[in-house]
Amino acid sequence: MKSLSILGSTGSIGRNALQIIAKFPDRFSVRALAANTSIDLLAEQIRLFRPEIAVVGDAYHALVLKKRLPDDSQTEILHGQKGLIQASTLSSVDAVVAAMVGAVGLVPVLEAIRAKKHIALANKETLVMAGTLVMDSARKHGVSVLPIDSEHSAIFQCLQGNHSSDVTKIILTCSGGPFRCLPQEKFSDITLEQALNHPNWSMGEKITIDSATLMNKGLEIIEASHLFGLSMQRIEVLIHPQSIIHSMVAYRDGSILAQLGIPDMKTAIAYALSYPERLDIAQPFPDFARIGSLTFETPDKDRFPCLQLAIDACETGGTLPAVMNAANETAVRAFLNRDISFMDIPKRIRKTMNQHSVIQNPSLDDILQADQWARKFEN
Ligand SMILES: NC(=O)c1ccc[n+]([C@@H]2O[C@H](COP(=O)([O-])OP(=O)(O)OC[C@H]3O[C@@H](n4cnc5c(N)ncnc54)[C@H](OP(=O)(O)O)[C@@H]3O)[C@@H](O)[C@H]2O)c1
């Protein structure tokens, strides 16, 4: 029996993870759940999974949640970062599913690793901000960081049974998002509704906008470089609009191994939960005859400048990826609030990155300070 803490249980990844967990009560138990403000759904999850603790964003929502639970509920309600750390370090927990969105995920993951918990990682921002610290700490404490991101899960699967010294490069596939075919002159007309309408994947709002700007692929390059210990030069991005090949690994003998499946996160989540076994989650296979053809294109960094910004941040390293991540989170929030246009997102990120004095080999404090500096930066 594996005991789990699910951080971000009410989000797209969290809900999918709980759907899988619910099907295997003899394999998994849920000891902690965490969300921000989705109280109704969290209360329902507490009723179904009876965790030891549940965490919400602040004291107000903790009060609302307590009122929503029956008087005899055994679940302790906590809030804020202290609560998240308790949820990720609980002595009864074996593994933490890191499925919160954004920089808030970093410290709970680092604390979980220090407490020797294995990590199933969806929260890519954690590795973008502090990939070196996280992976060094995981090695030091002897815990695994297993990817949930579908591309990284695909690469992880294609690496099984092979020597990493035989890898020439990895190929991250990318749907291209809703604006793959949109001419540059039409980018100024992009609306929030269009940007939230991803052609293949159903995901949370922030990653959906990141997918539309291709920042998501940029974040994934940085995530992959840390997870698999590869330099930027050995990570290629390939547009694949059907999202059937989730990513590939090219070996020095000319072989390329690919992992395929329908565009649904459950396969990647299930693999991270049960590795090295596979769970029977009744997932349909792609209908190749109906799909007909799988196509590929080179990404266009002129129309999607966020991709180049992430490559620049990764190449410079130090605190710059954390600054880029924070500037992106702030700009995406402003776009979601209809305060800025789609084209303003890369402009704001670039301006913030250009003004940052990079610290190399940063400590966690340096990274958290850089994150705060970028969030306060006046654009
Ligand atoms: N969705 C996908 O298919 C997918 C694929 C690959 C990678 N990822 C990555 O997985 C992560 C989650 O993505 P998502 O699409 O699942 O996001 P989402 O649907 O927006 O869910 C985010 C989750 O984080 C919780 N949360 C946010 N701030 C919090 C805080 N301060 N304290 C506690 N909980 C907090 C949210 O709670 P509330 O509901 O209360 O707001 C929600 O449960 C992201 O890093 C994303 O890049 C997602």
Side-chain angles (χ1 to χ4, degrees):
M1 175 73 80
K2 196 182 266 186
S3 301
L4 300 167
S5 171
I6 318 286
L7 308 183
S9 63
T10 54
S12 167
I13 295 289
R15 293 192 311 271
N16 273 304
L18 287 175
Q19 271 183 37
I20 296 166
I21 290 162
K23 285 189 185 155
F24 299 94
D26 49 336
R27 293 189 69 124
F28 304 113
S29 74
V30 175
R31 297 295 162 92
L33 293 170
N36 192 16
T37 58
S38 299
I39 299 304
D40 290 345
L41 180 53
L42 186 59
E44 176 62 10
Q45 292 176 345
I46 292 171
R47 192 182 67 73
L48 289 173
F49 294 96
R50 301 176 179 278
E52 286 172 43
I53 62 176
V55 185
V56 288
D58 55 35
Y60 168 75
H61 287 95
L63 209 66
V64 178
L65 178 60
K66 274 181 198 161
K67 284 190 186 153
R68 209 59 65 82
L69 297 177
D71 290 341
D72 61 351
S73 171
Q74 301 291 306
T75 302
E76 188 184 355
I77 307 302
L78 305 170
H79 68 269
Q81 194 183 63
K82 242 172 132 179
L84 290 171
I85 291 171
Q86 260 182 266
S88 58
T89 59
L90 208 57
S91 61
S92 58
V93 162
D94 303 311
V96 171
V97 177
M100 291 192 296
V101 61
V104 68
L106 172 60
V107 171
V109 164
L110 276 171
E111 291 293 330
I113 291 172
R114 281 179 50 186
K116 297 195 188 318
K117 313 296 182 193
H118 296 288
I119 308 292
L121 187 81
N123 177 246
K124 61 190 86 184
E125 294 90 346
T126 287
L127 287 182
V128 171
M129 293 175 74
T132 305
L133 293 184
V134 170
M135 297 311 288
D136 283 353
S137 183
R139 271 185 290 275
K140 179 174 159 196
H141 294 287
V143 302
S144 52
V145 179
L146 298 182
I148 283 182
D149 223 342
S150 58
E151 294 79 358
H152 304 73
S153 174
I155 292 161
F156 183 63
Q157 293 180 54
C158 294
L159 288 170
Q160 298 304 308
N162 289 286
H163 295 292
S164 53
S165 54
D166 289 338
V167 173
T168 304
K169 64 177 176 180
I170 60 175
I171 302 166
L172 285 178
T173 54
C174 169
S175 71
F179 309 124
R180 179 175 63 86
C181 300
L182 194 73
Q184 184 131 32
E185 59 274 15
K186 298 256 171 76
F187 268 54
S188 52
D189 300 334
I190 289 173
T191 66
L192 176 58
E193 288 68 25
Q194 289 168 332
L196 283 172
N197 188 19
H198 195 282
N200 301 349
W201 294 93
S202 163
M203 310 179 283
E205 281 188 336
K206 191 253 176 189
I207 184 174
T208 303
I209 301 303
D210 285 348
S211 299
T213 61
L214 294 205
M215 175 55 91
N216 185 48
K217 212 46 56 180
L219 300 177
E220 287 179 7
I221 293 175
I222 305 175
E223 182 184 13
S225 75
H226 290 295
L227 272 174
F228 306 114
L230 290 172
S231 68
M232 281 279 317
Q233 290 67 31
R234 293 167 70 197
I235 305 173
E236 184 180 317
V237 172
L238 186 65
I239 304 290
H240 166 46
Q242 296 80 21
S243 298
I244 295 297
I245 297 179
H246 296 316
S247 277
M248 305 184 246
V249 178
Y251 288 95
R252 60 181 176 175
D253 63 356
S255 291
I256 294 183
L257 301 190
Q259 188 262 349
L260 287 73
I262 61 165
D264 183 308
M265 290 305 296
K266 286 195 200 69
T267 302
I269 296 170
Y271 195 60
L273 291 176
S274 64
Y275 171 81
E277 288 174 62
R278 290 182 186 268
L279 298 173
D280 180 0
I281 55 168
Q283 190 80 319
F285 297 112
D287 180 345
F288 290 111
R290 190 186 59 76
I291 295 165
S293 55
L294 300 179
T295 60
F296 307 96
E297 299 161 20
T298 309
D300 179 349
K301 290 183 195 145
D302 292 332
R303 283 185 305 137
F304 298 100
C306 284
L307 186 56
Q308 188 60 50
L309 290 172
I311 291 169
D312 294 345
C314 189
E315 270 168 355
T316 303
T319 44
L320 197 56
V323 162
M324 180 204 66
N325 178 67
N328 180 55
E329 283 188 30
T330 314
V332 170
R333 176 48 48 206
F335 177 66
L336 286 168
N337 291 340
R338 301 180 195 275
D339 292 337
I340 65 170
S341 74
F342 188 78
M343 288 177 77
D344 287 336
I345 297 174
K347 284 185 199 152
R348 285 200 171 203
I349 300 168
R350 184 180 294 112
K351 204 169 157 194
T352 311
M353 284 170 69
N354 286 344
Q355 291 302 314
H356 177 60
S357 307
V358 178
I359 300 173
Q360 289 296 346
N361 304 314
S363 64
L364 178 60
D365 274 353
D366 294 332
I367 288 168
L368 295 176
Q369 275 174 29
D371 171 271
Q372 286 307 308
W373 173 86
R375 281 167 206 276
K376 289 184 190 136
F377 184 77
E378 298 274 339
N379 261 288

